[in-house]
Amino acid sequence: MARLTRQARKEQGDAAEARFRAWLDRCVLPHMYVEQSPLSVPKGLRGEIKRPDFLVGLPTIGTLAFDVKAKSIYDEHILIDAYEHRTFRNFETFFNISVWYVCFPPADPNVCHLFLNRDLEGEPSIRHGRPVLAMPLKSTVTTDPRRDFLGVLVGAISLR
């Protein structure tokens, strides 16, 4: 598989975020995009905390955080940067908000994989240019983004 340029990866990521925003808009769920500049993180926590892309309000329930990715599938796994996982765990601790990954495979417009950042805890760390955690597709909730988001999310919550 040919490596994408930085610009091509950014364009895929922007497209995935636009798809997620459209999904939330269509389902009329309150949400906010989280500004991503380094100035929005306190100086002492830079490099130790990562911001999610979206905060989604679930009326009468609370707020959940979502990080949206355009992710290719490698050997039935989604690869997540180990450093990113750690800095999201810090976000979850500091804000008491769960972070969900929303992964759109770039080649498949009607597929989305959902899983919690904490679900990566037991997954093996491997090298893929850098340390990554390999989330098995079978451990994600695979859905069609044309479905109702809240229904998919409730179905994705597991007490296992």
Side-chain angles (χ1 to χ4, degrees):
M1 178 179 285
R3 284 196 169 258
L4 294 175
T5 65
R6 173 177 266 161
Q7 181 62 30
R9 284 193 314 271
K10 181 177 178 352
E11 289 171 6
Q12 283 185 344
D14 290 347
E17 288 178 4
R19 288 172 63 194
F20 185 65
R21 181 180 291 115
W23 192 6
L24 295 174
D25 285 344
R26 186 175 41 77
C27 295
V28 194
L29 280 171
H31 61 279
M32 293 189 307
Y33 178 76
V34 178
E35 204 274 320
Q36 298 291 314
S37 78
L39 297 176
S40 64
V41 173
K43 198 174 200 175
L45 292 176
R46 289 186 190 150
E48 295 302 316
I49 187 171
K50 184 169 183 342
R51 294 164 307 261
D53 295 316
F54 290 88
L55 296 176
V56 177
L58 304 175
T60 74
I61 295 171
T63 303
L64 294 175
F66 295 87
D67 199 64
V68 180
K69 305 278 186 208
K71 284 286 190 182
S72 296
I73 308 304
Y74 297 93
D75 193 29
E76 296 299 307
H77 290 79
I78 296 173
L79 304 181
I80 300 293
D81 187 270
Y83 169 80
E84 179 176 88
H85 164 67
R86 183 182 65 78
T87 54
F88 271 142
R89 288 299 281 159
N90 289 340
F91 174 89
E92 291 172 321
T93 298
F94 296 150
F95 290 94
N96 199 30
I97 297 175
S98 295
V99 175
W100 286 83
Y101 282 98
V102 179
C103 299
F104 293 98
D108 208 341
N110 296 319
V111 172
C112 177
H113 301 282
L114 297 169
F115 58 95
L116 282 162
N117 184 53
R118 72 175 62 123
D119 291 344
L120 290 164
E121 287 299 318
E123 298 306 327
S125 178
I126 59 173
R127 294 225 33 108
H128 187 79
R130 64 194 182 292
V132 296
L133 301 171
M135 173 58 90
L137 281 185
K138 67 181 182 192
S139 296
T140 71
V141 171
T142 303
T143 190
D144 185 329
R146 295 172 292 188
R147 294 185 53 208
D148 177 69
F149 180 76
L150 194 52
V152 168
L153 184 62
V154 168
I157 295 171
S158 170
L159 299 178
R160 61 178 164 90

